[in-house]
Amino acid sequence: MAINWFKYSAPSTFYALAGKLIPWFAVSAAMLFAVGLYIGFFVAPVDYQQGEFYRIIFIHVPASILSMFLYLVMAAYAALGLIFNTRLSAMMATAIAPTGALFAFISLWTGALWGKPMWGAWWVWDARLTSELILLFLYLGYMALHSSIDDPRRADRASALLAIVGSVNVPIIYFSVKWWNTLHQGSTIKFSGTSMHVAMQQAMFITLAACWLYAIAVVLARVRSIILEREHQTKWVAELSEVRT
Amino acid sequence: MLEVSNLACSRGDQRLFSGLSFVLHPGQIMQVQGENGSGKTTLLRTLCGFVSADEGRVVWNGAQVASLGDAFHAEILYLGHLNAIKDDLSALENLKISAAFSGITLQDAAVKSALRRLGLKGRELLPCKVLSQGQRRRVALARLLVSEARLWILDEPLAALDVRAVALIQELIADHLSRGGMAIFTTHQPLQIDGMTVRTLALS
Amino acid sequence: MKELTLFSMLKLVIRRDMILAMRRRADVLTTLIFFVMVVSLFPLGVGPEMEMLRKIAPGVLWVAALLASMLSLGRLFSADHQDGTLEQMMLTPQPLAVIVLGKIVAHWMVSGLPLVLIAPVLGIQFDMQAETLGILILGLLLGTPVLSMIGGIGAALTLGLRGGGVLLSLLVLPLCIPILIFGTAAVDAVATGLSPVSHLSLLGALLVLALTFAPWVAAQALRISME
């Protein structure tokens, strides 16, 4: 069966589609969070090195993974919008940024919480934490640029270019920070990776999936409001029941 | 020949004009009319390629302007609201550099005679910051004299000019048209070209 | 009347921007003075122990150079934007990227190169040895053009925006981190008796990368900003 994808690239059809999808993603995200955290906190055994403290990885690791992936997804949407001049892709990129920044922030926050009992310091200049911090800066730069340009079209295009430049830079930054870290013999977060218990792995994957679903739900909701904002002068928006009331 | 078909432009949410079509043949001149905010400047900037149109095509000698790219730039001369004059450079340097940007290398003598024709004799070497508003506009307009472009796109060319300068500009445009050039312009002052009918395009 | 080649257009832009900069020497000097001041504040902040100063010198000089180059970037396109010259530059028969490259090169020569030249004097204030100082200068020589290139993209993106200067730093500084790391690491390597070649060649690679792509990206950014 051939699906006409272009049909869904029109904001009006996508608005309706997203509206139907959001509850599914939101509910399954909540359920998976509950299951994942239950396994993480009550089923998974205590780590022989780190005791109970390690359990923060069930939040920390999915948040870090998502913050990085979302940047790439954002840059990909931005590139699509810039090259093919599709409005919806640009809106998607804009909608992803705050969620990506939130995950980067959560990753830093939980990293600090974990660092205190482990290293005795809230912040350690570990390669991954530092990269995560720079990633947060990149997200903030993207959002700052987008919000300081009044014309939405220019805002989309300018911040798209920034996102692309940023995503080309991300590997270089990551590599250079790692290099810097080994030079200064900094500490590295190491979980007992090979001996990870099955329940730990399960919990991690489930919370990761939950984070993905949450991100999709939130991004779709945000895209819906961006669509309304941008298209407020069109006929189809005026005819929406939620707008008329 | 410049062909514009079904052009639509907007600024922000606001559609300025749509379905705009016209053809400009060699030797023709057209005035764009309309109230403030009707999109005159946007139209001219769209023709230059600064602004991309929402819909429609701009075709130059049978080829789409977008596909011509930088080659189209050699064919046009654009004079905007801003003079593109550097305060720290002299009139001579300014004209020489702006001619070079449009791909023309000029000798000092040619630059001086152009400036003289525009009534800037004796001021060629002064930094432009000491010139008056009208004199600066004249420095900018001196580009018309040295230009090799076929299509002149002039946004308010007569602003800040005195009667004699206006007459001179009219003369320059007439020369340009008689050589087979084209011009499209906006103005709030009447512009008469001897022996030419100025077509008008009204934006509402 | 002959057509200008790409190279002569590049030369023209560089020459023009150099002349303009020389007629506004104060702007060039303020960047330089800012650099000297920031570097001189550090001993006052952390104390005058020579051992520590020698250790932090490369980092301090690099960070100060980074900040100083951010300061001057705002002017890269904005002056030409305000008086309409930028529009004329976009209408040249040559690719816009060539003009952008010319402007960036000229910008580096009036605001990056002076920092490199004065850096030895500041290094001596921090009791750096001749060997480490040499590598610092070499690193700055390779790295500051890259800062100007990346900064050029940021300057083009933030053209004409409110609070453009601060925004510009926000966008550009994270992207400059690799330069900072490799530049200071080269000096550290020499100080600990290792070879700085790998760090310097990485800086060189970044310079080549920036030279290839940055002018083109900045030209695209200018087109977006001029709409």
Side-chain angles (χ1 to χ4, degrees):
Chain A
M1 194 182 78
I3 302 172
N4 184 7
W5 291 106
F6 287 102
K7 188 182 150 204
Y8 292 108
S9 68
S12 50
T13 34
F14 190 80
Y15 179 84
L17 176 74
K20 280 185 210 128
L21 290 177
I22 288 170
W24 294 96
F25 283 113
V27 169
S28 37
M31 274 161 42
L32 285 182
F33 264 127
V35 175
L37 290 181
Y38 175 79
I39 298 176
F41 282 122
F42 301 108
V43 180
V46 174
D47 188 83
Y48 73 97
Q49 267 185 327
Q50 308 173 12
E52 299 282 359
F53 298 124
Y54 88 95
R55 293 190 197 272
I56 204 152
I57 62 164
F58 300 124
I59 306 286
H60 176 78
V61 173
S64 313
I65 292 176
L66 268 208
S67 65
M68 287 176 207
F69 265 108
L70 283 179
Y71 193 87
L72 295 179
V73 175
M74 180 181 87
Y77 269 118
L80 272 181
L82 197 60
I83 296 164
F84 298 110
N85 212 0
T86 46
R87 283 174 301 161
L88 189 59
S89 340
M91 293 180 198
M92 283 295 280
T94 319
I96 290 172
T99 306
L102 175 72
F103 276 121
F105 182 73
I106 291 175
S107 159
L108 289 174
W109 185 293
T110 51
L113 284 181
W114 182 79
K116 184 65 181 168
M118 282 297 111
W119 296 316
W122 292 110
W123 183 265
V124 176
W125 289 94
D126 152 80
R128 278 185 229 179
L129 276 182
T130 312
S131 305
E132 196 68 51
L133 181 66
I134 298 169
L135 188 66
L136 180 62
F137 289 160
L138 289 179
Y139 274 119
L140 294 178
Y142 176 92
M143 290 192 287
L145 181 64
H146 198 283
S147 63
S148 59
I149 304 177
D150 293 328
D151 177 31
R153 195 177 136 110
R154 182 185 162 190
D156 282 344
R157 284 153 59 80
S159 47
L161 201 64
L162 182 70
I164 294 167
V165 172
S167 64
V168 171
N169 244 282
V170 160
I172 302 178
I173 292 174
Y174 186 74
F175 168 72
S176 66
V177 169
K178 239 180 137 168
W179 174 296
W180 162 80
N181 193 242
T182 44
L183 281 179
H184 296 275
Q185 279 122 31
S187 37
T188 315
I189 298 180
K190 272 211 184 82
F191 295 107
S192 25
T194 45
S195 63
M196 219 156 102
H197 191 272
V198 184
M200 290 185 198
Q201 287 179 357
Q202 280 173 350
M204 185 101 94
F205 282 124
I206 292 170
T207 48
L208 179 60
C211 282
W212 265 115
L213 293 171
Y214 162 81
I216 295 172
V218 172
V219 166
L220 287 180
R222 204 173 285 122
V223 158
R224 268 166 67 92
S225 32
I226 294 174
I227 290 176
L228 285 189
E229 217 178 294
R230 297 274 184 93
E231 308 256 309
H232 68 89
Q233 81 285 21
T234 58
K235 206 166 143 248
W236 73 267
V237 170
E239 283 168 359
L240 288 172
S241 57
E242 61 261 42
V243 173
R244 263 185 303 178
T245 49
Chain B
M1 189 172 72
L2 179 76
E3 288 173 86
V4 170
S5 50
N6 207 20
L7 201 68
C9 286
S10 48
R11 193 190 300 121
D13 283 345
Q14 203 190 350
R15 181 54 69 93
L16 292 170
F17 52 81
S18 59
L20 188 75
S21 302
F22 65 85
V23 179
L24 200 62
H25 290 286
Q28 287 189 328
I29 179 164
M30 192 167 75
Q31 178 180 0
V32 185
Q33 285 178 328
E35 290 164 17
N36 292 335
S38 61
K40 297 189 295 291
T41 297
T42 306
L43 172 62
L44 298 192
R45 289 174 55 86
T46 309
L47 294 179
C48 292
F50 295 137
V51 183
S52 47
D54 298 349
E55 290 161 26
R57 314 194 302 162
V58 181
V59 174
W60 175 254
N61 288 342
Q64 281 234 39
V65 162
S67 66
L68 284 172
D70 296 324
F72 178 60
H73 295 159
E75 308 270 9
I76 59 172
L77 179 147
Y78 172 71
L79 192 82
H81 283 280
L82 300 165
N83 288 329
I85 297 279
K86 283 279 158 205
D87 280 350
D88 292 320
L89 297 179
S90 68
L92 183 105
E93 288 166 318
N94 263 309
L95 184 54
K96 224 173 144 176
I97 287 172
S98 56
F101 277 142
S102 51
I104 303 162
T105 320
L106 288 178
Q107 299 304 317
D108 280 5
V111 177
K112 275 187 183 159
S113 77
L115 290 171
R116 243 165 242 177
R117 191 150 170 221
L118 278 153
L120 291 165
K121 189 167 190 292
R123 297 193 170 76
E124 297 97 333
L125 298 175
L126 292 178
C128 280
K129 59 185 157 206
V130 304
L131 299 183
S132 75
Q133 202 56 37
Q135 284 171 327
R136 287 175 194 213
R137 194 64 179 164
R138 284 167 188 237
V139 176
L141 284 163
R143 285 175 37 224
L144 297 178
L145 268 173
V146 297
S147 159
E148 292 174 351
R150 303 278 309 282
L151 173 64
W152 288 3
I153 299 174
L154 312 172
D155 200 354
E156 293 286 343
L158 306 180
L161 291 182
D162 57 23
V163 183
R164 275 182 54 201
V166 169
L168 179 64
I169 299 309
Q170 290 174 346
E171 202 183 309
L172 288 179
I173 294 176
D175 279 356
H176 173 65
L177 296 177
S178 66
R179 287 194 306 264
M182 286 161 258
I184 177 166
F185 68 99
T186 66
T187 183
H188 288 294
Q189 287 154 273
L191 181 90
Q192 275 120 28
I193 312 289
D194 290 339
M196 291 277 171
T197 44
V198 177
R199 294 166 56 199
T200 54
L201 177 76
L203 298 176
S204 53
Chain C
M1 290 187 232
K2 63 178 184 347
E3 283 263 314
L4 273 111
T5 60
L6 287 185
F7 187 66
S8 58
M9 178 59 93
L10 189 66
K11 266 198 326 204
L12 171 83
V13 177
I14 295 175
R15 228 174 71 86
R16 166 189 178 272
D17 277 26
M18 296 289 285
I19 293 173
L20 284 171
M22 284 308 117
R23 297 206 179 151
R24 292 217 170 241
R25 266 175 298 242
D27 288 351
V28 179
L29 280 176
T30 41
T31 312
L32 196 62
I33 294 168
F34 175 83
F35 178 60
V36 174
M37 271 189 191
V38 169
V39 172
S40 311
L41 287 181
F42 272 87
L44 298 173
V46 300
E49 295 96 54
M50 276 306 169
E51 192 56 37
M52 176 160 58
L53 288 184
R54 210 177 299 133
K55 200 160 160 37
I56 65 169
V60 167
L61 264 91
W62 264 100
V63 171
L66 208 61
L67 295 179
S69 67
M70 289 304 116
L71 265 193
S72 55
L73 273 174
R75 288 195 303 271
L76 181 53
F77 298 115
S78 67
D80 286 339
H81 176 57
Q82 274 159 14
D83 60 22
T85 320
L86 199 58
E87 285 178 342
Q88 298 300 333
M89 290 179 170
M90 292 176 74
L91 291 178
T92 59
Q94 267 83 24
L96 183 57
V98 175
I99 294 175
V100 170
L101 177 62
K103 287 191 72 67
I104 293 175
V105 170
H107 173 263
W108 177 75
M109 291 206 286
V110 295
S111 69
L113 192 58
L115 304 189
V116 181
L117 295 178
I118 203 150
V121 182
L122 299 173
I124 289 168
Q125 278 193 325
F126 282 70
D127 193 35
M128 285 180 76
Q129 303 305 305
E131 211 184 3
T132 49
L133 205 52
I135 295 301
L136 177 75
I137 303 307
L138 204 57
L140 282 170
L141 210 52
L142 287 169
T144 46
V146 188
L147 300 183
S148 293
M149 300 267 170
I150 301 174
I153 299 175
L157 284 172
T158 55
L159 191 64
L161 297 182
R162 287 169 269 112
V166 183
L167 184 63
L168 175 68
S169 314
L170 210 66
L171 305 186
V172 173
L173 283 175
L175 299 176
C176 293
I177 288 170
I179 313 293
L180 174 70
I181 290 176
F182 295 132
T184 48
V187 183
D188 281 348
V190 181
T192 49
L194 297 168
S195 161
V197 174
S198 57
H199 308 277
L200 292 177
S201 38
L202 279 167
L203 273 183
L206 288 179
L207 177 59
V208 172
L209 205 68
L211 265 174
T212 328
F213 293 109
W216 185 80
V217 176
Q220 293 304 315
L222 275 183
R223 288 221 171 83
I224 291 170
S225 296
M226 289 297 284
E227 256 201 20

